[in-house]
Each structure stands twice: as structure tokens, then as C-alpha cells.
Amino acid sequence: MSSGRSQGAPGRAAGPVPPGALLDLLHVAAVVLDTSGRIIFWSPQAEEVFGYTTDEALGRYAGRLLVHEEHRGLVADLFAEVMATGSSWAGAFPVRHKDGSAPLVEFRNMRLTNERGEVFALGIAVDHDTLRRVETDLALSQRLVSQAPIGLALMNTDLRYVMVNPALERINGLPAAEHIGRRTQDIVPHLDTTTIESGLRHVLLTGTPLLDQYIVGRTPADPDHDHAWSVSTYRLDDPGGRVIGVAISVIDVSERHRAGIEADRARRRLDLIAKASARVGTTLEVAQTAQELADAAVPDLADLAAVDILDAVLEYRTSRPADENGPELFRALALASAYPTDAATAADTVGEPAAYSADRLITRCVRAGRPILVSHAGPEDLLRIARDSEAAAQLQAAGAHSYLAVPLIARNEVLGAFDMLRARNPLPFDADDVLLAGELAARAAVAIDNARWHQSVRNVAETLQRSLLPEAPPDLAGLEVAAHYQPAQAAHQVGGDWYDIIPLPGDRTALVVGDVMGNGIDAAATMGRLRTATCAFADLDLEPDEVLTHLDKITGGLERYIATCLYAVYNPHHHRCRIANAGHLPPALAPADRPPELVDLPTGVPLGVGGVPFRTIAFDLHPGDRLVMFTDGLVETRHDPIDARLAALLRALDMPRVPLAEACPRLVSALRQPDDHDDVALLIAQAGRT
């Protein structure tokens, strides 16, 4: 009697179980003979094997019905031996089929005895070819499973392992015996077994296979490294349609997975380089270029990025400290963070100098001109990264765990360092990151070097130009004057704009605004020469058109340069202004009692063209009236027509008046755009009482 559980199936309740399909596949026939050899039992499968129906077989002598005449003697002897001794006999020989053929049939014969002592012979028969085919299929299946290089397993309807091949043993790191009867979470607990079993259950219920499902994780076979597997699952049914379980095939695709990861990383690196190329170096400002580099690194490459430039580089000093063991002076130019973090507050303040001793990693980076990589930064490393111990503690508290610094090198000169930290990103910096950061640094270093040299030249030109412009306006009789000069933005060189205020005899004042076409030091020097000449001609008490004629001759002798100029002389005793124009924009007149307007005067040709006479016109400038003289940088833009911009100037002048000292910066603020690319010289004169 059963104790409540069937043998060989732990956990299964006692009771009938579905039949196996192998007997149906073999079509095993059963035949029972009495002691005389007469057929007294004929199974339905016997009809399939021998071709005779039950009615045709029962009561017939088996030897005469089924055995060819030449084999009857042998069969009779075997039958007699089985009946006499009770021993079994097994073998195969051809039988006589109803259709006249002689198929080879394999027999198992044995003696039976009932409760009354009667003796019978039981013969079990299977078609020999069918049996050999099944045996071959089984042997082949076993070899395929055992020798397959891919992992194979069969799970029953309870999703427990019933078969595991050697390849899956190696993948899971456990012998087959430890798999049998257990579930996936018992074997590979570090994988996402919930999702795996959900897929298995879906296959079991629907019969729809799941093919090439990606699983990434670790097994006991290699608990320290991730692997990737392609898993396919499909349901197994027997020939009768009964569900046997779920078959699983597992292929290790770790190499393909790693290659895919590397290809993806390569694509992201190229994308980052492409983006950085477009974002870094958009201006010729050193600080802006440094900030663009730091911004390009987060968050794809680093959680925190900083750009520190050697102070000697910014000051254009080529000599390095004589003491290689001494400190190095840096200036922090940029800082970028992927997210708000205390690590950002631990970095040097942007724009401030910082001295680092020779043992600091950033100092080693710039002095050696080579990258410094600390894949796993501990407390001692952070002390050599941060500016002090307090900042190092902040970095540690923020989770900083990996550090990378690469030198900024342009034209064989080390400019500074590009240094990065990772905190929230769990991956340490590696050799690929060093190459990527080096590529970004190399591109940015050239842009930074170009920007610093451009800024140096620009500073020289701007200094020269400012030195050539007049200082504070002098005290004038009957005239109050305000002037303003604003160089172009840093991405462009300064131009040759100028203004001048020249006291003349008889309380008169000469007012001059001009613009040398071009930029840089040459334009500023040419502007200085023209301003000096203008002052000299003004002392000769010439008419405005005569002054411009002399300036035209001088400009014509200068290489490559032409200039525009307005020259006006104001007489406060007559409240009269005389003015001539050499190709310049007309001035604006803002009377005290009516709307502003542009002064209508001949345009003339620029200085240096020659051959065209200039004309002087006169107009009244009463007390309270303002004359606004300006260069084109005040109104011209790249997108708007000049008429619209001059109208905007008149609207700005029509606003409620402010004191003259505030009028210039207010007008510049109202009309200039952040990206305007030209200098501005502005001169506002307000007539007063004599």
C-alpha cells in the first residue's frame, strides 16, 4: 500500500497519474496462448502489428496463423521450453502478416499461471523497425543533450528541474543532481528569477515559445563577474497532447554582450566628442571656453568637472617656478556639476587663485604633462585632490570615489588641467575614459590658447585705444558734454572708433566723432594719428569742411584704411552749430521743446577716398537742446535695416530726459545687443546759457 505519496515523485499526492506515451508510440501488442498454442487473448495493438482482427485471431493456433512454415519447428520448441520450464524467451523473427509481408517482430514470451493452476503463455510483441527507431532516437537525443555546447534543461509542470545537461551544469556552477526537484530561485538566486519564472509560466500555459530572451547577471559558476545569456523556452507535449513541461536552452553570449557594450560606449564617446566640438570654443573668451569644456563633461563623463589654468599662463609668463618641489599657482576658471552636491562646494571658487603643493595630483599632472588616474580614490587620495582636509571630507561625504585629471596642452605648452570626479556614477574611471578626456582636453586646450592670445592682443589694442581717447571732458563755455566709449565684445577685436572735444578760441568747441574701418592695433593706431591731426587742424580755426579735406589727404596716404567722421563747431554766443560729414551716420538733434530728429546734412564720402569736396551746414542749438553724435556700433545690427535702427534711436531719445551724465550709458543699454560686434563711441552735447 502506498503511504500517501507515490514513489519517485516527492511532494505529489497519491492517486492516478496521466499515462506515458512511449507504449502508445511503440504499439506494444499482447497475445495470450493456452497450453495447446491456441490464441485466447488478442489486444487491439496486436491487430496493428499482425494485421488480423480479434475475430480472425481468437481460437486459432498461433503457429499456423503467425509463423511461416519454415520457422514453425523452432517456434514450437521455444514454446514448449517456456511452458515446461517457466523461463522467459526474448528474440526477434519474421512473422506472417495478413497482407502477405514478413515483418520482423521482437517478442518477449513468458509463462503465466492463474489461481486455479492453469498455465498460459503471454507474448508481448513490438514491430522490430519501430523499436529500433525509437531506441536510435532516444540514444541520439541523449547524446545531443549531453554533448550539446549550449545549456539544456527540462522542467516539469511545477517548474522544477527534471533534467539538466552538462553545459548547463557549467553555466550554473552546480551539478545536475543539485538541480533535480528544485526551482530557478534555488539555483541562480542572483538573477531576476521572478521575471524568469513568469516567462516559464506563460510558456507553460499558452504554448507560445519565448525566443532569445536576454538575461544578464551572475551565477555560482562566476560570482564576481556579470555574464549574459540568450534564453529560449518552449513547451513540450507528448504525442497525445499531454503537457510534459518546459524545455529551456541557454547560450552564453557574454562576448557578444560585452562587444555590444563596447560598441555602445564607443558611439557615446564619439557623440560626446562631436557635441563637445560644437560646444567648446564658441567664443574667444578664456573663461567661457573653460566653462564650455566643463559643461561638456557632465553628466556623460563625470559627475563633477573643473578646469584650472596655470596663473603664469594667464599672465603670459613663460618661466616656470625654479623650485620643482615648490607649489604651483592655479586659477580656477570653470566648474560644472551633474547634480546639486556638496562636492561642488569643496572645489575651488571660480575665478580665485589656488596654490597646490608638489604632492597634489593636479600639480603632478601639469608638471609631468600626463594624465593622473585614480580609479578607486580613498581618503588618502582625496587629501591629495582637494584643496584642504575639510574639502577632502566634503568630497568623501558626497561619495567621490574615482578621480581623473588630464593636462591641457597646446603648442607644446601645458596650460593647466582638466580634472573630474565620480560620485553618483558607480563606475570608476578607466583607460577608455582617459582617452576620451584626453581628446576633449586636446581640443579645448587649442581653443583656450587661441582665446588667451586673442584676449592678450585685444587687451593691448583696447589699452592703446583708450590711451588715445581724451580724458574727462574739459569745462566749456555754454556747453555741457558727456562721452562714452565701449569696445566690442571679447569675441571680436576692438575697432578704431573715437571721439574728441576740442576747446577753440572765442568760447567755441569742436566736437568730433569718427570711425576707422577695421579693427585691432593697426586700426587703433590709425585712429590715434587721425585724432592728433584733427586737433592740429582745429587749432588753425578752419571751417569743418576744410578740416575734413585735410584729414582726407592724410587718410589717403595711409595703407588700406579709410574712415568716416563728423566734425562740428559750436558757438555758444550765437547758439549756432556748423558741421560737415565725411561718410558718417547723421547726428541726432534732441531739442528741449520738440521731438528728436536726425540732422539733415550731406553724407559726403569717407576720408581716404579723395576727389569729392565736403560741405559745411549750420543749424541752431538752443539752450537745453542736445546734439547726439555716435558711431555705427550704437545702432547697426546684423539683422535689422539701418532706417529701423535710427528710428529706434529717436524713440530712445524721446523718452523722459535724464541728467546728461546718465544719458550715455542709458542710450547704450537701450540700443546695444549682447552679441553686437562693433565698438561704440558716443558724444552728447547739451547747449547751455552763455
Side-chain angles (χ1 to χ4, degrees):
M1 295 290 293
S2 170
S3 62
R5 295 186 182 273
S6 58
Q7 289 184 342
R12 183 186 297 278
V17 296
L22 185 59
L23 292 179
D24 293 334
L25 181 65
L26 293 175
H27 300 288
V28 178
V31 179
V32 178
L33 309 179
D34 61 14
T35 54
S36 65
R38 192 186 304 271
I39 299 173
I40 62 172
F41 177 83
W42 188 261
S43 73
Q45 289 79 10
E47 182 176 346
E48 298 178 24
V49 175
F50 301 109
Y52 300 99
T53 65
T54 302
D55 293 339
E56 293 173 332
L58 289 177
R60 301 280 299 274
Y61 287 101
R64 297 175 183 174
L65 180 68
L66 303 176
V67 181
H68 291 282
E69 185 174 354
E70 64 268 25
H71 298 144
R72 288 176 186 169
L74 174 61
V75 170
D77 293 341
L78 294 174
F79 177 73
E81 181 181 352
V82 169
M83 297 301 288
T85 64
S87 61
S88 298
W89 175 86
F93 60 87
V95 299
R96 189 173 70 173
H97 196 275
K98 181 180 178 180
D99 61 8
S101 63
L104 192 64
V105 175
E106 188 155 338
F107 286 92
R108 295 291 186 273
N109 296 320
M110 62 200 73
R111 190 179 70 180
L112 300 179
T113 305
N114 65 11
E115 68 275 9
R116 295 190 298 273
E118 297 173 326
V119 179
F120 304 92
L122 171 64
I124 297 175
V126 179
D127 180 76
H128 181 78
D129 292 340
T130 301
L131 180 62
R132 290 293 176 263
R133 185 173 65 252
V134 171
E135 288 177 343
T136 301
D137 290 345
L138 289 175
L140 180 60
S141 298
Q142 184 179 17
R143 289 300 181 107
L144 286 175
V145 169
S146 63
Q147 297 180 12
I150 64 175
L152 297 173
L154 176 62
M155 308 190 83
N156 62 19
T157 54
D158 292 332
L159 299 183
R160 296 180 181 274
Y161 287 99
V162 295
M163 187 279 294
V164 173
N165 77 334
L168 193 61
E169 287 182 296
R170 294 189 293 270
I171 290 173
N172 289 344
L174 292 172
E178 294 189 26
H179 286 72
I180 305 305
R182 302 172 70 184
R183 306 177 76 95
T184 53
Q185 63 261 37
D186 303 324
I187 304 301
V188 283
H190 298 298
L191 299 182
D192 185 5
T193 55
T194 301
T195 301
I196 294 172
E197 286 209 355
S198 176
L200 293 173
R201 198 169 292 108
H202 174 79
V203 171
L204 190 65
L205 293 175
T206 66
T208 303
L210 293 178
L211 305 177
D212 197 23
Q213 302 294 298
Y214 239 59
I215 296 178
V216 179
R218 302 180 181 187
T219 69
D222 188 6
D224 298 327
H225 300 92
D226 282 340
H227 286 258
W229 300 275
S230 171
V231 179
S232 297
T233 56
Y234 50 95
R235 194 174 72 183
L236 289 180
D237 303 335
D238 66 14
R242 181 177 65 90
V243 177
I244 299 174
V246 180
I248 304 172
S249 65
V250 182
I251 302 174
D252 193 323
V253 292
S254 299
E255 290 300 323
R256 186 175 72 187
H257 177 70
R258 282 190 283 268
I261 292 176
E262 287 303 314
D264 183 62
R265 289 186 65 183
R267 284 192 296 269
R268 287 189 287 109
R269 286 196 295 267
L270 291 174
D271 183 59
L272 180 58
I273 291 173
K275 289 180 180 178
S277 299
R279 293 169 55 184
V280 179
T282 60
T283 70
L284 286 173
E285 285 279 2
V286 174
Q288 178 66 26
T289 303
Q291 188 62 52
E292 289 168 347
L293 172 59
D295 291 339
V298 296
D300 295 328
L301 182 57
D303 292 327
L304 191 70
V307 178
D308 298 279
I309 304 298
L310 290 166
D311 195 64
V313 169
L314 294 176
E315 296 295 330
Y316 306 99
R317 300 193 306 269
T318 57
S319 60
R320 300 297 298 275
D323 184 8
E324 287 296 326
N325 295 319
E328 195 76 66
L329 186 61
F330 293 86
R331 190 172 296 272
L333 289 193
L335 179 69
S337 176
Y339 53 89
T341 173
D342 289 342
T345 62
D348 295 322
T349 304
V350 173
E352 296 297 321
Y356 284 100
S357 59
D359 66 329
R360 296 303 176 95
L361 298 185
I362 189 172
T363 305
R364 289 174 49 195
C365 176
V366 296
R367 287 186 174 175
R370 293 193 299 271
I372 299 292
L373 171 63
V374 183
S375 298
H376 303 282
E380 293 299 321
D381 299 308
L382 294 178
L383 287 173
R384 296 189 298 154
I385 294 170
R387 63 174 179 269
D388 52 36
S389 57
E390 182 180 350
Q394 285 182 284
L395 292 179
Q396 185 174 3
H401 63 85
S402 192
Y403 174 78
L404 172 61
V406 293
L408 295 165
I409 303 175
R411 300 175 180 89
N412 296 321
E413 181 181 6
V414 178
L415 308 181
F418 174 37
D419 45 330
M420 292 152 284
L421 282 166
R422 282 182 179 171
R424 185 173 293 179
N425 185 338
L427 298 176
F429 287 112
D430 57 20
D432 287 340
D433 296 319
V434 174
L435 293 176
L436 176 57
E439 180 69 21
L440 295 179
R443 293 167 182 257
V446 174
I448 290 173
D449 195 49
N450 290 340
R452 76 182 182 107
W453 282 111
H454 171 83
Q455 194 164 313
S456 172
V457 173
R458 182 180 182 278
N459 290 343
V460 171
E462 185 177 334
T463 301
L464 173 62
Q465 186 169 31
R466 289 189 180 277
S467 69
L468 295 174
L469 292 173
E471 297 180 357
D475 292 331
L476 304 169
L479 194 66
E480 183 182 358
V481 180
H484 179 82
Y485 170 74
Q486 181 169 312
Q489 64 170 0
H492 300 82
Q493 292 183 330
V494 295
D497 295 18
W498 91 93
Y499 66 86
D500 212 343
I501 306 156
I502 308 170
L504 299 176
D507 295 332
R508 294 173 304 154
T509 303
L511 304 172
V512 187
V513 168
D515 184 2
V516 176
M517 296 184 184
N519 50 46
I521 294 177
D522 290 345
T526 300
M527 177 271 289
R529 296 171 67 179
L530 290 178
R531 177 173 176 258
T532 302
T534 304
C535 292
F537 293 130
D539 285 342
L540 298 177
D541 200 15
L542 301 173
E543 282 292 314
D545 60 290
E546 295 175 323
V547 172
L548 292 182
T549 298
H550 287 293
L551 291 176
D552 180 53
K553 293 178 182 179
I554 292 175
T555 308
L558 301 176
E559 294 183 2
R560 300 182 296 111
Y561 284 104
I562 60 175
T564 64
C565 184
L566 282 174
Y567 184 88
V569 177
Y570 176 66
N571 187 331
H573 297 291
H574 300 94
H575 304 296
R576 196 74 171 162
C577 184
R578 299 177 65 78
I579 187 169
N581 185 9
H584 204 83
L585 290 173
L589 178 62
D593 56 356
R594 63 181 189 273
E597 61 184 5
L598 297 175
V599 178
D600 186 12
L601 76 163
T603 302
V605 297
L607 303 176
V609 174
V612 180
F614 301 100
R615 289 178 55 195
T616 298
I617 69 164
F619 61 92
D620 293 332
L621 192 67
H622 298 291
D625 292 351
R626 290 181 176 180
L627 179 65
V628 181
M629 303 168 67
F630 53 91
T631 57
D632 56 5
L634 179 67
V635 292
E636 284 188 350
T637 68
R638 297 178 177 180
H639 311 292
D640 303 308
I642 188 61
D643 291 342
R645 295 296 296 161
L646 290 173
L649 168 65
L650 296 179
R651 288 194 299 271
L653 292 174
D654 202 24
M655 300 292 287
R657 283 195 174 187
V658 296
L660 197 62
E662 302 175 17
C664 285
R666 178 174 175 177
L667 196 59
V668 170
S669 176
L671 296 175
R672 290 275 288 182
Q673 302 297 322
D675 61 345
D676 285 342
H677 61 284
D678 202 358
D679 291 13
V680 173
L682 175 62
L683 182 62
I684 302 178
Q686 179 173 312
R689 297 193 180 276
T690 306

